[in-house]
Amino acid sequence: MPNIKELQDLTTQVRRDILRMVHKVNSGHPGGSLGCAEFFVALYQDILDRKDTFEMDGIGEDLFFLSNGHISPVYYSVLARSGYFSVDELNTFRLIDSRLQGHPTTHEGLEGIRIASGSLGQGMSVAIGAAEAKKLNGDSHLIYSLHGDGELQEGQNWEAIMYASAKKVDNLISTIDLNGKQIDGATDDVLPMGSIQAKFEAFGWIVITIKEGNNIEAILKGMADAKSRTGKGQPVCVLLETEMGNGVDFMMHTHAWHGKAPNDEQLEVALAQNAETLGDY
Amino acid sequence: MKTYENTGNKDTRSGFGAGLTELGKTNENVVALCADLIGSLKMDEFKANHPERFFQVGIAEANMIGIAAGLTIGGKIPFTGTFANFSTGRVYDQIRQSVAYSGKNVKICASHAGITLGEDGATHQILEDIGLMKMLPGMTVINTCDYNQTKAATLAIAEHNGPVYLRFGRPKVANFTPVDQKFEIGKAVQLTEGTDVTIIATGHLVWEALEAAKTLHAEGISAEVINIHTIKPLDNEAILKSVAKTGCVVTAEEHNYLGGLGESVSRVLVKNNPAPQEFVATNDTFGESGTPAQLMEKYGLNAKAIVEASKKVIKRK
């Protein structure tokens, strides 16, 4: 069992990274990034069985795909703090000539990124392909993916969801960031999707819900449960109930910070709520 | 004048199928995906030989492109198969982000391209796909002319690391290129030597260009026919060398003149050696139902049209 205090400290540092990155360039997506900080830390520090050599051949290790690429700040921060590249490079987020593009890309050769994402709804198909490649290669490692709940409005997801169960892609764990918000407001106001759990179950997936999606221990427990359900002929969906903007009081309980950066004063308040732990980049 | 023998009409899509079957035996990393058109794409044999390497995705082309991109992560070489329309316009953003921008080694293999799909009509006849695909950075675009060349191209693209769009068609057309001719991506094939006009053709129009050259020869006009199977990267050198000699050019393709081979040739000429050019192509229009021959005649995509364009362009020199 990992040291929970260490993971919590890392999560706080990741929150500071996210806030400082988007503030510096006055752009980017802090809301969903903050909401998924615990998940990414748990994923990269414990859940994924990763090679420590950071090779990018995709063989002999678990792989993760981020479909909702706009939460790149949390992805970059956790990749850097997991050793994929230098944390100093977080300074270059969204700047000209940077490998840390607004949305993640393989185009600039950034270690840890395996596919471009940002145009929504494509990641689950890619994850399925990677899962099929694992099976062909006799590689028993798993494929993980993350998707926004609003992102499920994109039709390609449902092609992929249908395929994964029909073809028994049972080495795939797709997590849905169930924060109930998207750019224009609550998902229930923009385009109500009904029960996402019932939909996945109707399509033949095993569904696990993590009610406390901002609690590291709950995530570790829930994802261990999800992992135990793999290899049984069905794909696994994790519904991760998170709070957009988590960890910064004025960014929570609203969709307003989906794609907006804090100003100088707001940054100061936000950082004060997340005291430095491992050292800023 | 050098002439070519039609060894028997065959469909280019069967050349693709034969190439894929061979790849199945020779390259274990080759996998194939199809969106409910196995028979039309001639993928039956690959599927029968290698069921574990074949993915029937159903009528879900967007998902197919994404799965193909994912399969490359772990070393597979995916060949996707559906009609040209559903291989390009329908899934443009999936190709753009998950394949081209991500630099994935996916081979997008597209049958029933152009107007010769015939009776199904304009919903299925895409005349814009070359333009769509050649605009994507890093995408190789190939349009083959007969069965033998399509088979050779299918083998060649498996050896090329990077995204490829391979365009071929439905009707049985003349099969005339040598059965053992090696396919070199980006390398034009000069079919006849001539001095009065250069005819640069791609796909089904290559045979029509050869027929046109025969007619022109009988009338005392010497035409140099070049088979441009690779539209991107374009063989600039072959084009410039020929036009330096003939001083004018006709481009011929089963595609809209906007965005097609003709425009790519124009760009090369304008930058290097401006020369008169005529376009044998569709004129910014959708197709319609009819037999392939009727449609080629109505839309001006046959040997007769190439002869007329050649005479016209020679006068403009």
Side-chain angles (χ1 to χ4, degrees):
Chain A
M1 196 64 184
N3 183 322
I4 300 298
K5 172 70 168 55
E6 280 178 18
L7 295 187
Q8 286 167 341
D9 284 350
L10 176 54
T11 305
T12 302
Q13 192 60 50
V14 165
R15 286 214 155 83
R16 291 180 65 88
D17 290 349
I18 294 165
L19 292 161
R20 293 175 67 237
M21 285 163 77
V22 299
H23 168 263
K24 179 178 175 182
V25 291
N26 193 28
S27 71
H29 298 78
S33 295
L34 292 166
C36 287
E38 284 84 1
F39 177 77
F40 272 84
V41 167
L43 192 67
Y44 275 86
Q45 294 298 311
D46 186 69
I47 298 162
L48 290 178
D49 179 12
R50 298 186 285 118
K51 288 193 283 200
D52 53 14
T53 49
F54 305 106
E55 288 161 63
M56 289 298 292
D57 59 9
I59 292 170
E61 64 177 337
D62 292 346
L63 305 179
F64 169 70
F65 294 93
L66 176 66
S67 190
N68 49 328
H70 56 272
I71 66 168
S72 58
V74 65
Y75 197 12
Y76 294 148
S77 168
V78 171
L79 283 176
R81 291 190 180 275
S82 301
Y84 282 87
F85 53 88
S86 160
V87 292
D88 290 340
E89 201 167 346
L90 297 175
N91 259 317
T92 70
F93 176 62
R94 285 183 171 240
L95 296 179
I96 190 94
D97 297 329
S98 171
R99 301 198 296 172
L100 278 58
Q101 292 289 296
H103 294 80
T105 173
T106 57
H107 203 254
E108 316 298 332
L110 187 65
E111 297 83 358
I113 311 290
R114 299 180 190 277
I115 194 87
S117 63
S119 177
L120 293 173
Q122 300 185 28
M124 196 180 294
S125 302
V126 175
I128 289 168
E132 296 280 26
K134 287 253 180 258
K135 290 194 175 215
L136 284 174
N137 288 335
D139 181 344
S140 61
H141 286 87
L142 298 174
I143 302 295
Y144 292 82
S145 63
L146 179 66
H147 315 260
D149 49 359
E151 185 183 11
L152 294 177
Q153 291 157 3
E154 288 281 8
Q156 185 182 344
N157 287 301
W158 301 97
E159 295 182 3
I161 292 164
M162 191 185 301
Y163 180 97
S165 60
K167 303 291 173 136
K168 300 183 170 45
V169 184
D170 59 2
N171 53 347
L172 170 67
I173 300 176
S174 291
T175 298
I176 310 300
D177 176 16
L178 211 64
N179 62 22
K181 296 177 186 69
Q182 56 193 109
I183 298 181
D184 277 353
T187 51
D188 278 345
D189 292 332
V190 175
L191 183 67
M193 290 179 281
S195 169
I196 290 171
Q197 177 174 344
K199 285 185 166 62
F200 269 92
E201 284 174 348
F203 276 72
W205 287 54
I206 297 166
V207 181
I208 286 165
T209 298
I210 300 177
K211 300 287 280 182
E212 295 177 77
N214 293 110
N215 176 321
I216 293 258
E217 286 174 277
I219 293 169
L220 292 175
K221 190 159 163 278
M223 293 304 285
D225 185 13
K227 190 172 174 179
S228 75
R229 312 291 187 101
T230 58
K232 296 182 168 56
Q234 285 177 280
V236 180
C237 168
V238 174
L239 298 179
L240 183 74
E241 295 185 12
T242 70
E243 180 61 52
M244 189 184 267
N246 193 60
V248 179
D249 58 6
F250 62 90
M251 291 186 176
M252 294 162 70
H253 313 295
T254 172
H255 66 275
W257 296 90
H258 169 94
K260 192 177 87 170
N263 62 26
D264 293 350
E265 295 74 33
Q266 289 161 335
L267 177 70
E268 204 173 314
V269 173
L271 290 179
Q273 295 172 13
N274 293 275
E276 201 169 339
T277 54
L278 307 179
D280 289 338
Y281 61 80
Chain B
M1 187 191 119
K2 188 170 179 186
T3 56
Y4 290 81
E5 187 197 350
N6 175 10
T7 58
N9 283 6
K10 276 181 154 182
D11 47 354
T12 50
R13 58 181 164 151
S14 287
F16 165 69
L20 192 62
T21 297
E22 190 168 323
L23 282 174
K25 293 170 186 158
T26 57
N27 191 333
E28 63 178 15
N29 284 324
V30 168
V31 299
L33 303 89
C34 189
D36 195 31
L37 286 169
I38 294 170
S40 296
L41 269 288
K42 307 294 181 189
M43 298 169 100
D44 322 65
E45 212 172 331
F46 183 96
K47 183 189 176 212
N49 294 346
H50 314 284
E52 75 292 351
R53 286 196 262 150
F54 185 83
F55 301 90
Q56 166 63 275
V57 299
I59 310 166
E61 294 83 5
N63 191 39
M64 176 170 73
I65 295 296
I67 292 175
L71 277 160
T72 66
I73 301 164
K76 302 302 158 196
I77 307 171
F79 282 62
T80 66
T82 182
F83 290 173
N85 188 20
F86 314 135
S87 292
T88 57
R90 187 174 182 92
V91 290
Y92 198 64
D93 190 46
Q94 284 77 15
I95 295 174
R96 182 175 181 275
Q97 174 172 284
S98 293
V99 177
Y101 186 43
S102 294
K104 298 303 183 203
N105 193 22
V106 175
K107 316 304 172 187
I108 300 160
C109 302
S111 183
H112 293 54
I115 209 159
T116 51
L117 174 148
E119 292 81 352
D120 277 351
T123 55
H124 287 51
Q125 297 161 333
I126 193 160
L127 295 162
E128 308 91 42
D129 54 323
I130 291 173
L132 286 171
M133 290 297 111
K134 80 177 185 183
M135 281 195 294
L136 289 172
M139 181 68 72
T140 295
V141 179
I142 295 170
N143 186 22
T144 49
C145 67
D146 70 357
Y147 174 97
N148 287 344
Q149 191 175 66
T150 309
K151 183 180 175 191
T154 304
L155 300 176
I157 62 177
E159 301 297 318
H160 168 83
N161 187 21
V164 174
Y165 179 60
L166 177 62
R167 180 192 211 239
F168 44 91
R170 172 173 180 265
K172 289 191 163 73
V173 295
N175 189 32
F176 61 96
T177 61
V179 70
D180 55 351
Q181 189 165 63
K182 190 170 160 25
F183 188 92
E184 289 183 65
I185 295 171
K187 186 87 181 138
V189 181
Q190 187 180 317
L191 294 174
T192 67
E193 276 190 48
T195 51
D196 296 328
V197 59
T198 300
I199 302 172
I200 298 174
T202 191
H204 293 145
L205 270 291
V206 176
W207 179 253
E208 298 295 323
L210 286 171
E211 293 290 288
K214 270 198 260 181
T215 304
L216 291 166
H217 182 71
E219 297 180 29
I221 297 169
S222 165
E224 182 150 302
V225 177
I226 295 176
N227 174 2
I228 290 273
H229 50 64
T230 308
I231 293 158
K232 183 185 171 188
L234 194 62
D235 190 343
N236 298 358
E237 200 182 324
I239 294 166
L240 290 168
K241 190 174 154 213
S242 180
V243 176
K245 183 168 59 169
T246 63
C248 66
V249 61
V250 171
T251 50
E253 60 194 308
E254 193 181 340
H255 190 273
N256 193 352
Y257 80 94
L258 294 168
L261 165 68
E263 283 195 348
S264 290
V265 171
S266 294
R267 181 188 51 78
V268 173
L269 294 176
V270 164
K271 281 194 73 165
N272 298 281
N273 179 20
Q277 179 178 355
E278 290 292 330
F279 297 75
V280 171
T282 56
N283 186 19
D284 200 18
T285 182
F286 292 104
E288 63 179 290
S289 293
T291 67
Q294 286 170 338
L295 293 163
M296 296 292 262
E297 171 70 21
K298 178 167 178 176
Y299 289 85
L301 300 174
N302 53 17
K304 194 174 90 180
I306 296 170
V307 168
E308 285 167 12
S310 298
K311 290 176 179 172
K312 191 173 171 189
V313 81
I314 288 168
K315 282 188 193 145
R316 290 176 54 206
K317 277 204 264 188

